[in-house]
Structures are given as C-alpha cells and as structure tokens.
C-alpha cells in the first residue's frame, strides 16, 4: 500500500451558527480503508480562541500547523495511523486519523507532542471499521475542488 499526499479542499458551515469550516480530505487511500487494518478512528480536537469568524489567529494557526506536521510524520512513518481529514473553523480544529492500535497511537501522540508546551486538545476514539466519517467527508469532494499535493516531507 502506497500512501500518497494528495488532498481535496471543501468548505462547509457549522450546524450551530453557520460559521465557515475549511475541510482538507485525503485522496487515494481506499487501499488502506479496504485493508481492514485501520479499524479505529481517532479525533484530535484543538479548541482555540477564535476571531470574529471562528478562525484561529496567525500565531495559533502556525502552532497548529507545526503540531499537525509532527503528528502526521510520527503516525505515518510506520503506518501506525493515517491522517484522513482536517477540519478548521468554528473555534476548533479536528484532525482525523484511522489507526491500527489505539494504545500505540496514544503513546506515539505523547511522544510526538513532547517538544510542545501543553496544548488545548482532546482525544476521542471510536471503532469505525467501515470508515463512516471518512465516507461522509468524501461526499463533500464533488470534483469541483482541486486536489493538491502537500509540500510536507514525511
């Protein structure tokens, strides 16, 4: 299984207050989904102080990006977990991973976050062998949005 770094972008509105949410979804990972080896979904949610539109300030956005890069690199190095989606807006950023092992994911997460100060994140895990969250996110990829290749090095 080859992990590519192609993503699509979409825009949605929050259900509670119609604020904009920017969505980045991973493309071309059906082999990982269909393998059955990644049955657990882990949602890492970062609550931040928003601007008037519900978005992070520049300093917070930069820190969130650095954390995202560190987590992605740590989790995907040995394919312990695959980052499948990123939702940013309405006072939070959600990073969605599918993993082989929740306990190992937690250990790797703690290790990857060691260089950072304490972060305002929460973790939620769920058994999702059908990748239902991923399918819902993919439904937003109508083909109008252009896929892009990330510049991040793994």
């Amino acid at each position: 299984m080859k992990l590519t770094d192609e993503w699509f972008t979409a825009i949605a509105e929050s259900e509670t207050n119609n604020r904009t949410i920017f969505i980045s979804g991973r493309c071309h990972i059906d082999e990982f989904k269909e393998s059955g080896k990644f049955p657990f979904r882990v949602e890492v949610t970062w609550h931040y102080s928003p601007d008037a539109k519900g978005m992070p300030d520049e300093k917070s956005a930069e820190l969130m990006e650095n954390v995202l890069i560190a987590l992605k690199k740590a989790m995907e190095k040995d394919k312990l977990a695959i980052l499948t989606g990123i939702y940013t807006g309405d006072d939070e950023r959600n990073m969605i991973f599918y993993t082989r092992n929740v306990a190992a994911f937690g250990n790797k997460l703690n290790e990857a976050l060691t260089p950072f100060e304490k972060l305002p994140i929460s973790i939620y895990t769920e058994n999702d062998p059908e990748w239902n969250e991923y399918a819902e996110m993919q439904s937003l990829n109508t083909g109008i949005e252009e896929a892009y290749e990330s510049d991040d090095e793994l």
Side-chain angles (χ1 to χ4, degrees):
M1 291 185 286
K2 183 173 179 352
L3 183 60
T4 67
D5 212 20
E6 282 187 41
W7 297 77
F8 75 89
T9 57
I11 298 175
E13 288 185 351
S14 71
E15 295 176 6
T16 55
N17 56 19
N18 298 326
R19 284 184 169 172
T20 301
I21 298 175
F22 293 94
I23 301 166
S24 296
R26 195 131 197 198
C27 302
H28 312 299
I29 56 173
D30 288 339
E31 283 186 69
F32 292 92
K33 175 184 170 186
E34 294 164 4
S35 75
K37 295 179 180 179
F38 299 87
F40 306 106
R41 184 176 76 240
V42 180
E43 298 181 11
V44 179
T45 303
W46 183 313
H47 301 279
Y48 56 81
S49 296
D51 64 14
K53 295 180 180 180
M55 293 296 154
D57 62 36
E58 190 172 323
K59 183 178 177 182
S60 297
E62 184 177 331
L63 178 58
M64 281 189 264
E65 190 62 23
N66 290 336
V67 168
L68 176 68
I69 291 167
L71 287 176
K72 184 177 172 208
K73 184 176 181 179
M75 298 301 170
E76 294 182 353
K77 180 181 178 187
D78 297 321
K79 295 189 178 95
L80 169 63
I82 307 300
L83 177 65
T84 61
I86 307 159
Y87 301 77
T88 306
D90 198 25
D91 311 350
E92 64 184 31
R93 170 175 270 190
N94 291 306
M95 297 166 274
I96 311 298
F97 292 86
Y98 280 86
T99 186
R100 298 172 183 266
N101 182 299
V102 173
F105 182 96
N107 291 336
K108 189 64 79 170
L109 179 127
N110 287 332
E111 183 182 307
L113 296 181
T114 299
F116 300 97
E117 297 287 327
K118 184 176 178 183
L119 301 170
I121 62 172
S122 59
I123 312 296
Y124 170 80
T125 62
E126 184 172 319
N127 190 13
D128 185 7
E130 302 298 320
W131 287 40
N132 293 320
E133 191 285 332
Y134 180 74
E136 185 177 324
M137 181 192 57
Q138 281 293 322
S139 72
L140 299 172
N141 186 8
T142 61
I144 296 172
E145 300 85 4
E146 290 187 26
Y148 66 91
E149 182 98 10
S150 173
D151 292 333
D152 300 333
E153 296 274 331
L154 291 180

